[in-house]
Amino acid sequence: MSALIELTGVSKRYGNIKALEAVSLEAHQGEITCVLGDNGAGKSTLIKIIAGLHQHDAGDFTIEGEEARLRSPREALNRGIATVYQDLAVVPLMPVWRNFFLGSEPTIGRGPFARLDVERMRRTTHQALLRMGIDLRDVDQPIGTLSGGERQCVAIARAVHFGAKVLVLDEPTAALGVKQSGVVLKYVTAARDQGLGVVLITHNPHHAYLVGDRFVLLMRGEMAGSYQKEEISLEELTRQMSGGSELEQLSHELSRTDTA
């Protein structure tokens, strides 16, 4: 099966700064590809290229086998790529249904008599959340009253409802506790089970290994490894992400020596 999106040897520079160098990844229908790396590893730059915010300088980026050079997030959405950022870009005081349709509001009536189809938006939001297994009693409550995990889940359900083929998630569990992280990961797998290709950006190897099918490790803008799940253990994934030999060297340097 061909990849929904595929990056091959993609590089990006900002002036003299090398942000990405020869990075490759694939996202397939019904699979989760996890991109792991610490701060400064190049994860944000990679997201911006996939989401259409920035264009790559070298390498190939294909969407369903066709060469792509996205010029805007709207173009990425039109090609079926939805990106959910860590800050979510929601309007806290607006109700859940209004945030769900933000920028895509249906209307009734024509011309100067057109108005928002509020009942349709309320009903559709509730139904879309239920399909993802999210039973939110009141879609009229301000989205700012939801927990961080619940807001992430609404954003995932929104992407599924509006026809995304690829869902890119930017550190969705970074600011969450254990229980809320588990809730979000449950809905990440629900999106996968509905046939989306998911790209999960994270610095948490335990979360990645729970749900991931493929793993791409970044370090200082370069590929540090690429594996399918059966090719690597959680222990080895954690070791490689934490620097592997560099961490072992640091441990040796910090260890006390007996001075008899």
Side-chain angles (χ1 to χ4, degrees), residues 62-250:
T62 61
I63 301 174
E64 296 185 284
E66 294 183 5
E67 181 67 25
R69 184 171 284 273
L70 301 174
R71 294 173 177 82
S72 69
R74 175 54 63 181
E75 186 177 348
L77 275 172
N78 292 341
R79 298 290 296 271
I81 300 172
T83 303
V84 178
Y85 293 99
Q86 190 174 332
D87 60 11
L88 292 179
V90 297
V91 183
L93 295 179
M94 281 187 178
V96 173
W97 62 263
R98 187 66 196 272
N99 275 278
F100 193 90
F101 277 91
L102 202 59
S104 303
E105 295 88 346
T107 58
I108 50 177
R110 294 184 178 181
F113 302 104
R115 63 189 187 280
L116 294 179
D117 192 344
V118 174
E119 285 309 312
R120 177 182 168 190
M121 285 190 279
R122 284 192 179 115
R123 182 176 64 253
T124 302
T125 299
H126 186 67
Q127 292 172 347
L129 293 175
L130 275 179
R131 280 196 299 272
M132 289 289 291
I134 306 167
D135 188 9
L136 198 63
R137 290 187 299 275
D138 184 11
V139 296
D140 279 305
Q141 67 188 101
I143 199 167
T145 63
L146 301 182
S147 68
E150 288 171 330
R151 290 196 296 271
Q152 286 282 353
C153 296
V154 170
I156 293 169
R158 182 184 192 277
V160 173
H161 173 75
F162 283 101
K165 297 178 182 178
V166 177
L167 177 62
V168 184
L169 298 166
D170 173 25
E171 300 273 10
T173 62
L176 305 179
V178 174
K179 185 175 181 180
Q180 286 291 317
S181 294
V183 170
V184 171
L185 292 175
K186 173 184 172 184
Y187 295 115
V188 171
T189 60
R192 174 201 64 193
D193 293 344
Q194 292 203 24
L196 277 72
V198 180
V199 179
L200 175 64
I201 313 294
T202 182
H203 64 266
N204 190 315
H206 292 84
H207 291 170
Y209 205 79
L210 273 173
V211 300
D213 300 291
R214 300 167 184 265
F215 306 98
V216 173
L217 283 84
L218 297 182
M219 188 173 293
R220 302 188 190 95
E222 298 182 359
M223 298 267 299
S226 180
Y227 307 94
Q228 296 199 39
K229 191 163 191 172
E230 60 269 21
E231 297 173 336
I232 192 168
S233 66
L234 172 59
E235 291 73 22
E236 179 60 17
L237 186 68
T238 304
R239 191 189 76 83
Q240 289 201 26
M241 189 190 159
S242 62
S245 58
E246 292 183 15
L247 192 65
E248 291 170 7
Q249 178 63 30
L250 178 62

Side-chain angles (χ1 to χ4, degrees), residues 8-69:
T8 307
V10 163
S11 300
K12 178 67 180 178
R13 289 179 175 270
Y14 300 101
N16 293 325
I17 300 172
K18 177 182 70 177
L20 283 182
E21 185 69 30
V23 171
S24 300
L25 71 78
E26 300 176 8
H28 289 258
Q29 183 177 5
E31 289 188 358
I32 298 174
T33 298
C34 297
V35 180
L36 298 103
D38 281 330
N39 293 337
K43 304 191 301 297
S44 295
T45 301
L46 185 64
I47 291 173
K48 289 171 182 174
I49 291 171
I50 297 173
L53 282 166
H54 293 173
Q55 295 183 352
H56 53 291
D57 298 326
D60 297 313
F61 177 18
T62 61
I63 301 174
E64 296 185 284
E66 294 183 5
E67 181 67 25
R69 184 171 284 273

